[in-house]
């Protein structure tokens, strides 16, 4: 982040603290229809479009560090195997033999010179090419070149491995847009994988994610954990193209040391991390399902996945600069990955209750404030990805946040005195 951007952000923080109403040009946000959390139609639309067309964070290079290492990835139901090939590239394929669909790997992870289907013994290399089959004389004119494993788009940002089921999707870098530039200082190509865990939550995945997409809840839910270190009235939300977003909130004057801060103080630092990430809480939402506060000691994404309509999986990751031979840091769990840390126990506390509410006869919709604009913007973008014409009218979210509010545009800058 350059000096001008830092000055602008600091001025925006003061603007937010001083305002007595939402900015004049910020639109009135219509209620989100409650059906978006419970209606099977909407769930199916998410499956058919949103999960199919977005870049999804699937794995970290440290999980498949050597040629031949692979990991099975099924977080969105599709059977995918991600392989570190002999040539060094990272490839993803449907874990589906071209003969009769048996899997080419059955272990969650491992290392293999060849991918061999155990049903009838067809053998593939790490590029997915069919190398040999049993009893070839019994097939008439089998063209090996048409029987490769089917590829899934797979691209990297540093050591992060993303997949996309849409062959027409833009590149991962284009998809991330300005975020890719802002993330350079965090050195995603250097950070090691320190921890990865999954927790089942009894609510729709968006209910879980939205608890991490606004700071309106901080004073109520996190009085002892987040509130002392986050000045919510000075929070600045930024909306990026394609539904991505960011929040930046400074530490309040006289912030005291919380357990979380003590934990961080003991960790190594990413030297290139700039002033804002060192003095503020800076968290990114990457559409559709990634939320991550990025700081000098750790890059700890929280990633949310659907597990049916009314259950979800919270995947907690910690990436960190080299910690040597000491214990790997984990920002999000305790008791060896058994339990969420307090701040996430707080964030997930109401999920099942809210799910019961949205399923009830009494629930109609969700009114959102200016502070919760990132949630509305996410839904607005989801409808664009799904295609408004595919969504029943009563489940749609009108597109009211205009391009004037999407980065690099920001009407708030007109109120700033940056001289
Ligand atoms: S299904 Fe794989 S070899 Fe037959
Ligand atoms: Fe929270």
């Amino acid at each position: 982040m350059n000096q001008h951007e830092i000055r602008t952000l600091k001025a925006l923080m003061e603007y937010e603290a001083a305002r007595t109403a939402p900015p004049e040009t910020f639109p009135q946000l219509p209620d989100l229809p409650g059906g978006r959390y419970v209606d099977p139609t909407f769930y199916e639309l998410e499956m058919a479009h949103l999960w199919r067309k977005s870049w999804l964070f699937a794995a970290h290079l440290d999980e498949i560090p050597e040629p031949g290492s692979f990991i099975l990835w099924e977080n969105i139901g599709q059977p995918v195997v991600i392989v570190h090939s002999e040539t060094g590239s990272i490839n993803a394929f449907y874990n589906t033999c071209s003969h009769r669909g048996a899997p080419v790997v059955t272990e969650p992870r491992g290392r293999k010179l060849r991918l061999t289907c155990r049903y009838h013994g067809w053998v593939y290399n790490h590029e997915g090419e069919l190398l040999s089959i049993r009893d070839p004389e019994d097939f008439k004119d089998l063209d090996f070149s048409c029987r490769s494993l089917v590829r899934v788009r797979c691209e990297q940002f540093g050591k992060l491995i993303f997949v996309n089921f849409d062959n027409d999707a833009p590149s991962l870098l284009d998809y991330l847009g300005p975020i890719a530039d802002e993330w350079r200082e965090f050195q995603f190509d250097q950070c090691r994988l320190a921890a990865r865990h999954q927790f089942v939550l009894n609510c729709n995945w968006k209910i879980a994610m939205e608890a991490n997409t606004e700071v309106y809840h901080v004073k109520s839910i996190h009085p002892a954990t987040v509130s002392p270190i986050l000045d919510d009235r000075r929070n600045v939300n930024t909306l990026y193209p394609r539904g991505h977003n960011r929040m930046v909130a400074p530490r309040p004057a006289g912030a005291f040391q919380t357990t979380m801060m003590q934990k961080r103080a003991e960790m190594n630092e990413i030297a290139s991390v700039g002033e804002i990430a060192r003095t503020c809480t800076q968290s990114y939402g990457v559409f559709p399902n990634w939320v991550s506060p990025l700081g000098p000691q750790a890059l700890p994404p929280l990633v949310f996945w659907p597990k049916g309509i009314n259950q979800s999986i919270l995947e907690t990751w910690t990436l960190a600069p080299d910690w040597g031979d000491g214990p790997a840091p984990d920002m999000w769990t305790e008791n060896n990955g058994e339990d969420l840390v307090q701040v996430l126990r707080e964030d997930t506390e109401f999920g099942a209750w809210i799910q019961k509410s949205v399923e009830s006869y009494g629930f109609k919709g969700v009114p959102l404030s200016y502070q919760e604009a990132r949630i509305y913007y996410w839904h607005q973008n989801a409808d664009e990805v799904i295609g408004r014409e595919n969504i029943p009218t009563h489940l749609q979210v009108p597109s009211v946040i205009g391009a004037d509010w999407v980065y690099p545009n920001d009407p708030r800058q007109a109120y700033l005195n940056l001289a």
Side-chain angles (χ1 to χ4, degrees):
M1 209 175 279
N2 65 37
Q3 282 309 312
H4 174 73
E5 288 163 330
I6 294 173
R7 269 178 43 225
T8 305
L9 259 179
K10 287 182 176 175
L12 282 169
M13 288 170 190
E14 294 315 310
Y15 163 77
E16 294 290 356
R19 69 177 171 77
T20 53
E24 228 167 273
T25 62
F26 192 77
Q28 170 79 30
L29 302 176
D31 287 14
L32 297 178
R36 294 171 72 91
Y37 302 90
V38 294
D39 193 320
T41 307
F42 197 75
Y43 181 80
E44 290 305 324
L45 287 169
E46 286 181 351
M47 281 295 162
H49 299 277
L50 194 145
W51 296 111
R52 195 167 178 177
K53 298 175 188 167
S54 304
W55 281 101
L56 306 173
F57 175 43
H60 187 277
L61 191 57
D62 288 359
E63 295 175 290
I64 44 171
E66 303 158 312
S69 36
F70 67 86
I71 185 167
L72 197 53
W73 185 81
E74 299 191 340
N75 277 5
I76 206 63
Q78 298 287 316
V80 176
V81 56
I82 305 171
V83 190
H84 190 147
S85 82
E86 279 147 291
T87 61
S89 63
I90 304 299
N91 299 326
F93 307 103
Y94 291 94
N95 183 24
T96 303
C97 177
S98 300
H99 178 219
R100 279 170 48 204
V104 291
V105 303
T106 49
E107 308 85 351
R109 62 184 66 193
R111 191 171 176 205
K112 283 183 200 261
L113 188 60
R114 298 277 179 251
L115 303 174
T116 303
C117 177
R118 293 201 349 253
Y119 199 2
H120 313 92
W122 287 25
V123 179
Y124 304 84
N125 65 14
H126 298 149
E127 302 303 318
E129 294 160 343
L130 180 60
L131 298 181
S132 65
I133 66 173
R134 177 165 297 137
D135 304 334
E137 63 279 12
D138 287 345
F139 285 89
K140 275 190 151 182
D141 299 329
L142 184 75
D143 183 351
F144 276 33
S145 69
C146 301
R147 305 293 172 176
S148 298
L149 296 175
V150 177
R151 276 184 188 268
V152 176
R153 292 272 303 276
C154 180
E155 292 180 20
Q156 284 172 251
F157 184 83
K159 288 183 170 185
L160 308 181
I161 300 167
F162 288 74
V163 296
N164 193 318
F165 297 100
D166 179 10
N167 288 332
D168 297 325
S171 71
L172 175 61
L173 267 191
D174 283 352
Y175 182 79
L176 293 172
I179 288 181
D181 290 333
E182 290 184 17
W183 279 8
R184 272 183 223 295
E185 66 184 70
F186 297 105
Q187 300 192 40
F188 278 93
D189 53 339
Q190 297 295 325
C191 280
R192 290 172 65 187
L193 174 60
R196 177 187 184 179
H197 300 284
Q198 290 195 339
F199 296 84
V200 174
L201 305 177
N202 290 313
C203 62
N204 180 271
W205 73 279
K206 299 189 293 300
I207 292 174
M209 183 174 69
E210 286 162 9
N212 294 275
T213 315
E214 42 89 357
V215 296
Y216 190 32
H217 70 281
V218 165
K219 281 201 183 88
S220 316
I221 294 275
H222 305 299
T225 48
V226 183
S227 194
I229 56 167
L230 188 154
D231 183 350
D232 60 302
R233 292 309 302 177
R234 285 184 165 72
N235 178 56
V236 177
N237 288 328
T238 303
L239 310 177
Y240 295 94
R242 302 186 192 275
H244 311 315
N245 58 76
R246 181 190 68 192
M247 59 136 301
V248 178
R251 249 163 246 147
F256 60 83
Q257 282 268 325
T258 61
T259 327
M260 205 156 61
M261 286 171 81
Q262 278 161 10
K263 198 168 171 179
R264 287 184 182 230
E266 291 158 13
M267 296 169 65
N268 289 337
E269 292 204 344
I270 306 163
S272 50
V273 166
E275 178 185 343
I276 290 295
R278 285 176 188 277
T279 57
C280 303
T281 297
Q282 178 175 5
S283 178
Y284 285 84
V286 178
F287 190 89
N289 65 336
W290 155 306
V291 178
S292 180
L294 304 180
Q297 295 91 359
L299 315 174
L302 299 170
V303 191
F304 300 86
W305 304 100
K307 185 176 161 60
I309 301 181
N310 56 11
Q311 277 199 320
S312 50
I313 290 176
L314 164 58
E315 200 166 49
T316 65
W317 295 75
T318 301
L319 321 179
D322 197 358
W323 57 87
D325 297 327
D330 184 344
M331 300 308 293
W332 297 128
T333 79
E334 44 197 35
N335 301 326
N336 291 324
E338 283 296 303
D339 303 305
L340 292 168
V341 293
Q342 187 184 344
V343 65
L344 287 185
R345 291 201 300 274
E346 292 167 350
D347 277 325
T348 53
E349 181 184 349
F350 291 125
W353 292 79
I354 295 171
Q355 183 64 32
K356 228 183 272 180
S357 295
V358 294
E359 287 175 5
S360 77
Y361 305 136
F363 198 84
K364 300 284 180 273
V366 180
L368 292 170
S369 69
Y370 165 68
Q371 283 198 50
E372 298 161 295
R374 290 185 293 148
I375 296 177
Y376 192 93
Y377 181 60
W378 184 97
H379 281 268
Q380 178 177 310
N381 192 72
D383 282 16
E384 275 159 34
V385 174
I386 292 169
R388 249 163 251 285
E389 65 285 2
N390 296 316
I391 308 174
T393 317
H394 69 282
L395 294 175
Q396 287 181 17
V397 163
S399 196
V400 297
I401 299 180
D404 55 327
W405 277 94
V406 178
Y407 182 93
N409 302 322
D410 189 338
R412 292 170 299 189
Q413 294 198 13
Y415 306 119
L416 307 181
N417 182 4
L418 283 170

